[in-house]
């Protein structure tokens, strides 16, 4: 089975712009979670989508949003980028039932200038 | 949110030595996971544990799900240079919410 894929792998934006990141889960997985990882804060949970619905949400401002499509692919959007949004954004997929195992993609490295 | 206490924060060891790290939580969980992350990459799942007391090995790695269901440990035997990285523990509740430890940075000195 192919693993979790994320595009793009690297991205450079300037403050005030918006960005959209994409994630394709493992085939058959219906849950996609997004995380922000920075050196100082570790892995911070953004949100989880299951069957096109946001099921869990972390403590991030409304500038961070996401959606999931009927094929389980997910996108994450960040509007009005700030310097502090520079991070590695990780997507993880799981079957979605009962909190079993979660598999990560390689991440998208976002740099905001 | 849920706090997982992972220790130690960092380790510097000689090649060939054994390594042990652990994770504790204040709540009971039904799943414990251990991941390894290389710089600039996503975490890779090493071992998954689903039952209290379960002891599972993956090559030189061994992990155990504590019988109290509030802790887990990971051992690496006979460390080699490619073991370098950051190791994360994680747990999950039945609502598919995952929680992560703060990571253990491992450096192996050849």
């Amino acid at each position: 089975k192919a693993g979790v894929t994320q595009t793009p792998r690297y991205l450079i934006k300037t403050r005030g712009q918006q960005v959209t990141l994409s994630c394709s889960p493992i085939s058959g997985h219906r849950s996609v979670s997004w995380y922000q990882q920075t050196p100082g804060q570790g892995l911070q949970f953004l949100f989880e989508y299951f069957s096109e619905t946001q099921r869990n949400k972390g403590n991030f401002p409304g500038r961070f949003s996401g959606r999931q499509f009927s094929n389980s692919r997910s996108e994450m959007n960040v509007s009005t980028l700030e310097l502090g949004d520079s991070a590695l954004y990780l997507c993880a997929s799981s079957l979605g039932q009962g909190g079993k195992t979660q598999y990560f993609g390689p991440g998208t490295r976002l740099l905001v200038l | 949110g849920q706090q997982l206490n992972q220790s130690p924060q960092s380790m510097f060891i000689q090649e060939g030595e054994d390594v042990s790290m652990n994770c504790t939580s204040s709540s009971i969980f039904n799943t414990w996971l251990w991941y390894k992350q290389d710089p600039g990459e996503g975490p890779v799942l090493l071992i998954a544990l689903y039952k209290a007391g379960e002891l599972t090995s993956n090559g030189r790695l061994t992990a155990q799900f504590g019988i109290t269901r509030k802790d887990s440990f990971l051992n690496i035997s006979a460390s080699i240079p490619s073991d370098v990285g950051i190791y994360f523990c994680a747990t999950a509740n039945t609502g598919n919410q995952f929680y992560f430890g703060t990571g253990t940075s491992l450096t192996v000195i050849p």
Side-chain angles (χ1 to χ4, degrees):
Chain A
K1 265 190 187 176
V4 179
T5 58
Q6 290 186 247
T7 56
R9 289 294 312 275
Y10 304 93
L11 207 48
I12 300 175
K13 292 284 188 179
T14 55
R15 276 182 300 176
Q17 287 187 309
Q18 68 94 27
V19 67
T20 299
L21 312 181
S22 181
C23 172
S24 291
I26 292 171
S27 177
H29 284 192
R30 295 166 62 193
S31 168
V32 174
S33 296
W34 288 90
Y35 297 86
Q36 181 194 66
Q37 187 177 35
T38 57
Q41 297 294 321
L43 273 164
Q44 302 289 310
F45 173 71
L46 282 153
F47 29 67
E48 183 227 1
Y49 285 85
F50 178 76
S51 292
E52 302 179 65
T53 301
Q54 187 180 90
R55 186 164 64 171
N56 290 300
K57 188 177 188 307
N59 189 27
F60 275 79
R63 299 186 297 108
F64 293 82
S65 63
R67 58 178 176 167
Q68 186 179 35
F69 301 94
S70 58
N71 62 357
S72 294
R73 190 177 70 84
S74 176
E75 288 181 348
M76 188 193 106
N77 186 77
V78 187
S79 63
T80 319
L81 284 166
E82 300 176 359
L83 296 180
D85 296 333
S86 295
L88 180 67
Y89 289 88
L90 292 162
C91 158
S93 82
S94 67
L95 288 171
Q97 305 284 359
K100 295 299 183 185
T101 307
Q102 197 170 67
Y103 298 88
F104 283 87
T108 294
R109 172 75 64 184
L110 172 65
L111 176 62
V112 182
L113 301 175
Chain B
Q2 188 58 239
Q3 294 278 346
L4 293 186
N5 297 309
Q6 185 172 350
S7 65
Q9 191 173 11
S10 62
M11 302 181 76
F12 292 80
I13 61 168
Q14 289 288 141
E15 183 177 356
E17 288 184 350
D18 296 344
V19 171
S20 185
M21 58 192 80
N22 69 81
C23 233
T24 60
S25 73
S26 55
S27 301
I28 291 174
F29 289 98
N30 294 320
T31 299
W32 278 97
L33 308 169
W34 285 93
Y35 292 87
K36 177 182 181 242
Q37 186 176 26
D38 292 327
E41 299 293 328
V44 173
L45 182 68
L46 298 173
I47 293 179
L49 303 159
Y50 302 118
K51 192 175 171 182
E54 182 181 356
L55 184 72
T56 298
S57 293
N58 177 7
R60 294 177 295 105
L61 278 62
T62 302
Q64 184 159 29
F65 191 144
I67 57 172
T68 65
R69 292 163 63 194
K70 291 184 177 182
D71 63 339
S72 177
F73 72 76
L74 174 71
N75 284 344
I76 304 173
S77 63
S79 59
I80 59 178
S82 62
D83 290 334
V84 165
I86 300 178
Y87 292 79
F88 290 97
C89 62
T91 60
N93 62 21
T94 53
N96 215 59
Q97 176 87 51
F98 288 82
Y99 306 98
F100 287 83
T102 49
T104 295
S105 175
L106 178 64
T107 300
V108 179
I109 303 165

